[in-house]
Amino acid sequence: MEKQSTNVRTKKGTGGYSNITVKKETATRFRSYSKRFSKSHSEVLDGMMQYFKENNLDPFGEGTKIVLDSIKKLERQMMKKFDRLIAIIKNMEKTSIRPTYEMVLILYEAYVRDGRKPKPEPVKIQEERMDFLEPRNTVPKTEHDRMLQEFNEYKKRSNEILNNVEKVEPMMGKPYLKINMGIGDYESLKYQLK
């Protein structure tokens, strides 16, 4: 039974306390349970009642059965979804992954049966070139003589041009070089160098 004292004020709340008679074992269990939350016995009991009320739970029957039934129903739904996912993955394996693997395996087996092995590419070593000593790079003597004669003529012509160069130092500006050459000689040289 309850006894109520209305004049007593508490530190945590504004209301008074009331005594409830419970069995000793129940009180001991409740005290040890409420110690886990570091709250007063009243706050723990209020929290428990609020939880039962918000979730429509009946501690003696139907409420807990409904919760357990909804958990089992949710579990069944999740298992159906997992089964669907597994079926999709198995289908992918049959239709795309497995055939590709088998084709590669068949190609590999055929390659091994043929006994073909990839040919290693030869290693190229940088060697010092001595092309001028090899007989295939030589020219006939007549052509060599002709090239030598052309070179001598070119050298002679270059020396003639250099001998006709004179340095001009104007009163204003930088000094420059002047080639004493006729226009006909200039055009002939230009034509030869093309």
Side-chain angles (χ1 to χ4, degrees):
M1 298 294 176
E2 294 185 19
K3 295 180 182 175
Q4 193 170 10
S5 60
T6 55
N7 295 337
V8 180
R9 299 266 177 201
T10 64
K11 293 178 184 177
K12 295 183 181 178
T14 57
Y17 284 101
S18 174
N19 292 335
I20 299 175
T21 307
V22 292
K23 291 184 181 177
K24 189 174 185 179
E25 300 90 34
T26 306
T28 306
R29 281 178 53 207
F30 181 72
R31 284 189 189 105
S32 65
Y33 179 75
S34 64
K35 282 181 185 177
R36 290 179 15 190
F37 302 105
S38 301
K39 298 197 179 278
S40 69
H41 299 309
S42 298
E43 289 173 320
V44 173
L45 192 56
D46 281 340
M48 289 169 63
M49 288 188 302
Q50 187 67 27
Y51 178 77
F52 285 137
K53 185 176 178 183
E54 285 176 2
N55 294 303
N56 288 331
L57 294 176
D58 180 8
F60 302 108
E62 288 299 313
T64 53
K65 186 178 179 185
I66 292 171
V67 170
L68 291 175
D69 287 344
S70 65
I71 290 173
K72 287 180 182 179
K73 183 178 177 183
L74 180 65
E75 184 182 356
R76 282 193 299 270
Q77 289 174 347
M78 293 301 291
M79 290 307 292
K80 284 180 184 178
K81 289 181 181 180
F82 286 139
D83 289 342
R84 286 185 200 139
L85 283 173
I86 290 169
I88 290 170
I89 292 171
K90 283 183 179 179
N91 187 26
M92 284 174 58
E93 187 178 290
K94 285 179 187 175
T95 58
S96 60
I97 298 169
R98 192 72 184 168
T100 306
Y101 169 75
E102 289 174 359
M103 283 190 292
V104 169
L105 189 62
I106 289 169
L107 289 173
Y108 178 74
E109 287 174 356
Y111 178 77
V112 170
R113 264 188 264 126
D114 287 348
R116 286 185 279 171
K117 293 182 180 175
K119 295 179 182 177
E121 293 186 21
V123 177
K124 294 180 181 177
I125 300 172
Q126 188 78 19
E127 294 181 5
E128 188 177 333
R129 294 190 58 167
M130 305 187 99
D131 292 342
F132 60 92
L133 293 177
E134 295 180 15
R136 67 171 186 249
N137 291 332
T138 59
V139 293
K141 180 161 177 41
T142 55
E143 192 163 338
H144 179 266
D145 291 340
R146 184 185 58 78
M147 289 172 69
L148 192 58
Q149 184 182 357
E150 285 178 3
F151 176 71
N152 286 332
E153 287 175 13
Y154 177 75
K155 189 175 177 184
K156 182 180 172 188
R157 183 73 177 136
S158 297
N159 281 329
E160 286 175 10
I161 292 172
L162 287 175
N163 289 334
N164 287 327
V165 173
E166 71 180 65
K167 185 177 180 183
V168 178
E169 292 188 25
M171 289 183 149
M172 297 187 68
K174 295 181 180 179
Y176 60 90
L177 299 174
K178 177 182 167 187
I179 300 174
N180 293 324
M181 180 187 291
I183 294 177
D185 290 336
Y186 171 72
E187 290 296 329
S188 173
L189 179 65
K190 193 173 170 185
Y191 178 76
Q192 287 175 2
L193 294 174
K194 280 188 180 180

